Amino acid sequence: MPYKVLVTPRSFGRHSNEPYEILNQFGVEVKVNPYGKILTEEQMIEEIKDVDGIIVGVDPLNKKVLQHAENLKVISKYGVGIDNIDMEYAKEKNIEVVRAMNANADAVADYTLALMMAVARNVVQIDKECRELNWQKITTVDVHKKTLGLIGLGNIGKKVVQRAKGFEMDILAYDLVPDEEYAEKSGIQYVNKLEEIFEKADFITLHLPLNEHTEHIVGREQLERMKSTAVLVNTARGGLIDEQALSDALQERLIWGAGIDVFESEPPQNKELLELDNIVIGSHCAASTVQAIDNMGIISSQNLVDLFKQSDK
């Protein structure tokens, strides 16, 4: 009997057939997401019942869902974030979980810089005014030689640093597990207290997983510490920012603006955010480039096959 695999990401194999070829060469029977959208819990429960493996994006794989996956042996994450997967229950059920490490890091880092620039220089607002034939100059804020504060300095954070160096930015970072060797080599200053990032940085970017320790790590108190000309960027996970606090801060002009690609629910429930001119909004698309999509598909397929091969031994 061939392994049966559910593939939920809608972009899987969109630009290259190689991810499917990897699965087909191993004789995998592929079941593709039939809904054309992120699956709900109920849809996942129905689709996951008889599969041996799953290549999953941000669809829910909590305990409620996994309890119905009687044959599931492997979860291959299409990306790196695993906050949608109940890791403890997966371990309890001996379900292997593997991530597509580094597949989309460059794409996310690029988009982080794109949001920084778009917010700082009011690119979206200027474009809108020009389309209405308003050629009045709009004054914005600089990026060059400003201070960037990174909350989380993992693989994506380090790639953001590489790009920020081109703008001759001073770099501050906060991470629970500091990479001192990298910091010294790259001219990065680690701070001991998270408050220092909010108080000193002109740009703050988030590169953290979402868990009980990081949920709403940016709230009203942190936003009030920021400079009035500061920009906040989140390309990591919705839930890291208290969205009501952010909405209030933007309306009150406590900070210059925000670039947000991820929300607690997507589209965001707080519709006020959609009406503000000092926020640039993304549709969780930081990793959506041709190269990153190809990489995620190839790596997640190969990871799945490799784990099946190990279980066959």
Side-chain angles (χ1 to χ4, degrees):
M1 289 287 290
Y3 287 115
K4 191 170 186 178
V5 172
L6 173 64
V7 176
T8 69
R10 291 154 291 170
S11 61
F12 183 89
R14 179 181 293 168
H15 307 288
S16 167
N17 201 44
E18 188 172 351
Y20 283 111
E21 291 174 355
I22 292 169
L23 298 176
N24 292 335
Q25 286 172 7
F26 189 63
V28 169
E29 179 185 340
V30 178
K31 180 166 73 167
V32 177
N33 178 347
Y35 300 97
K37 63 182 181 63
I38 297 170
L39 277 66
T40 64
E41 281 187 357
E42 290 71 24
Q43 290 166 343
M44 282 292 286
I45 287 170
E46 183 61 32
E47 297 298 326
I48 206 172
K49 284 180 179 178
D50 60 344
V51 303
D52 303 289
I54 180 170
I55 294 175
V56 69
V58 296
D59 318 82
L61 281 179
N62 51 33
K63 182 176 180 180
K64 179 181 176 182
V65 172
L66 291 175
Q67 284 176 328
H68 294 82
E70 297 180 1
N71 300 332
L72 192 63
K73 301 176 182 66
V74 179
I75 298 170
S76 182
K77 176 67 182 190
Y78 185 76
V80 294
I82 52 174
D83 48 277
N84 60 316
I85 303 170
D86 189 327
M87 296 296 290
E88 289 187 10
Y89 187 73
K91 184 178 181 180
E92 180 184 327
K93 301 296 288 185
N94 294 316
I95 301 169
E96 295 278 0
V97 180
V98 63
R99 300 184 288 168
M101 300 300 294
N102 300 327
N104 59 22
D106 281 303
V108 176
D110 285 350
Y111 200 73
T112 300
L113 266 292
L115 286 176
M116 284 173 53
M117 293 294 294
V119 177
R121 299 304 306 271
N122 272 15
V123 171
V124 175
Q125 185 67 19
I126 291 170
D127 176 84
K128 179 183 176 182
E129 296 295 332
C130 288
R131 292 173 190 273
E132 296 174 1
L133 301 182
N134 178 6
W135 241 247
Q136 183 177 346
K137 298 293 184 289
I138 295 177
T139 303
T140 58
V141 294
D142 291 311
V143 177
H144 182 235
K145 289 192 174 181
K146 294 297 183 180
T147 298
L148 170 64
L150 298 102
I151 302 177
L153 190 60
N155 192 42
I156 293 174
K158 288 174 180 175
K159 289 182 178 294
V160 170
V161 168
Q162 292 172 2
R163 289 152 174 77
K165 286 293 182 180
F167 291 92
E168 299 182 78
M169 301 183 84
D170 293 324
I171 312 292
L172 303 177
Y174 178 86
D175 199 297
L176 293 178
V177 186
D179 186 341
E180 300 289 358
E181 182 179 350
Y182 175 82
E184 183 176 354
K185 181 176 65 177
S186 304
I188 298 169
Q189 178 187 343
Y190 275 111
V191 299
N192 295 320
K193 294 182 178 180
L194 191 54
E195 290 80 3
E196 292 184 60
I197 294 285
F198 293 103
E199 292 169 358
K200 296 179 180 179
D202 299 293
F203 295 84
I204 297 173
T205 61
L206 306 182
H207 309 286
L208 298 167
L210 178 64
N211 55 44
E212 60 185 14
H213 303 295
T214 62
E215 185 175 12
H216 289 185
I217 197 169
V218 181
R220 177 73 186 192
E221 178 185 346
Q222 289 73 31
L223 290 161
E224 287 181 342
R225 289 179 182 272
M226 292 172 63
K227 300 177 182 180
S228 61
T229 53
V231 172
L232 175 66
V233 174
N234 185 11
T235 54
R237 279 292 181 262
L240 296 176
I241 299 174
D242 180 335
E243 290 173 11
Q244 186 58 56
L246 176 62
S247 177
D248 293 342
L250 292 172
Q251 291 180 68
E252 297 168 28
R253 305 285 170 171
L254 291 182
I255 63 174
W256 180 263
I260 309 295
D261 186 48
V262 286
F263 295 87
E264 293 187 77
S265 62
E266 297 174 354
Q269 291 184 352
N270 186 339
K271 297 301 186 287
E272 290 178 344
L273 289 168
L274 306 179
E275 299 168 0
L276 301 173
D277 62 5
N278 53 350
I279 181 172
V280 177
I281 291 174
S283 56
H284 206 140
C285 60
S288 296
T289 67
V290 171
Q291 292 87 348
I293 288 170
D294 286 350
N295 289 342
M296 288 190 292
I298 292 165
I299 294 172
S300 60
S301 292
Q302 192 62 57
N303 285 343
L304 186 88
V305 168
D306 288 345
L307 285 174
F308 278 150
K309 288 179 178 177
Q310 287 180 25
S311 67
D312 286 345
K313 290 181 180 179

